[in-house]
Amino acid sequence: MAETEDRKLAEFVRDHLPTLRARLEPLQVIAFGSRVRGDALSTSDLDLIVVSPWFASLPFLRRPGAVLELLDYPGGLELLCYTPEEFEEKRKEFGIVRVALEQGIAL
């Protein structure tokens, strides 16, 4: 996993990650995609996987909106939100979670 100097990622880490950690107590937060690769456009979103037991009480499709509301995030954040059990299953599959683990960075 490579380090990045992306402004949007750095701002998220500085301004929003502490709130995310305090409120959701995530086991993992993984940034991936163009912001981590270093080929993002100014309009590119920030892609994150968040793994937390907090998601167990929410339907899968409601989780990203709940996190955005919790963070009062201005926009441009794409979230994949998993319980620890869901994440363990997804990491075994060939798909976005595996790619994120290979190419992303743990926050």
Side-chain angles (χ1 to χ4, degrees):
M1 293 188 197
E3 298 270 339
T4 184
E5 294 296 324
D6 182 79
R7 181 183 58 80
K8 190 167 191 165
L9 178 55
E11 288 174 359
F12 177 84
V13 169
R14 181 189 68 231
D15 299 338
H16 299 285
L17 187 58
T19 302
L20 181 72
R21 285 186 174 143
R23 303 285 295 277
L24 301 185
E25 299 179 355
L27 303 177
Q28 291 190 61
V29 179
I30 302 164
F32 66 101
S34 63
R35 297 260 171 211
V36 172
R37 287 191 310 267
D39 59 1
L41 303 173
S42 62
T43 56
S44 295
D45 56 12
L46 173 59
D47 300 301
L48 296 177
I49 291 176
V50 181
V51 181
S52 173
W54 188 82
F55 296 129
S57 64
L58 285 175
F60 185 77
L61 294 178
R62 293 204 46 219
R63 296 172 187 175
V67 174
L68 291 172
E69 190 173 310
L70 174 92
L71 296 177
D72 193 28
Y73 198 80
L77 186 62
E78 290 293 325
L79 296 164
L80 294 174
C81 305
Y82 298 108
T83 65
E85 298 80 14
E86 292 167 341
F87 183 73
E88 285 306 311
E89 287 301 312
K90 289 291 184 186
R91 74 184 306 155
K92 296 173 191 173
E93 300 172 4
F94 182 74
I96 192 71
V97 171
R98 187 186 293 181
V99 171
L101 286 169
E102 292 171 358
Q103 300 176 3
I105 57 172
L107 303 180

